[in-house]
Amino acid sequence: MQLRLTWRIKGQRDLELLVSDGQKIKETMEILAERGFMEEEAAEAVRYIRAMRKNNQVSVLLTYREADIYSGDILTPEEEEEDERQGG
């Protein structure tokens, strides 16, 4: 099933995307990075996104279906803070 989602990427305008509900969230981020809508470093660093419909944080390793993300949702990548990446 196709989902119509809004990706809210820092420093960019909102992006309206059509994605398959069986696609992994990480794959979408990799495509956005390839097309220049997201920095590659950010796409690699992001481990979770915020799904605004339920205001829950979900792993980018899940598919949209597994993460209970549906059409109309707004997704925001959540980058880790520097100290979290360095383990302290």
Side-chain angles (χ1 to χ4, degrees):
M1 178 190 340
Q2 292 286 308
L3 305 176
R4 183 178 303 273
L5 302 172
T6 300
W7 274 77
R8 188 163 285 162
I9 300 172
K10 183 171 68 173
Q12 299 270 347
R13 60 182 168 83
D14 289 356
L15 300 171
E16 301 289 330
L17 300 178
L18 268 179
V19 298
S20 167
D21 67 346
Q23 182 176 10
K24 289 188 185 281
I25 298 165
K26 183 83 171 161
E27 292 172 3
T28 303
M29 291 182 3
E30 290 168 356
I31 293 167
L32 291 174
E34 286 173 10
R35 304 233 169 114
F37 292 109
M38 184 177 210
E39 292 180 18
E40 285 190 37
E41 296 81 20
E44 292 173 11
V46 171
R47 301 284 177 249
Y48 298 94
I49 61 163
R50 173 87 39 201
M52 299 301 194
R53 184 177 51 82
K54 288 186 173 179
N55 194 31
N56 60 339
Q57 188 180 52
V58 296
S59 170
V60 298
L61 301 177
L62 298 175
T63 65
Y64 293 98
R65 187 181 317 121
E66 292 168 336
D68 285 332
I69 293 174
Y70 301 101
S71 279
D73 219 337
I74 299 172
L75 307 177
T76 306
E78 295 195 339
E79 292 185 44
E80 294 181 46
E81 298 299 324
E82 282 298 320
D83 57 348
E84 290 178 26
R85 276 190 236 154
Q86 295 173 1

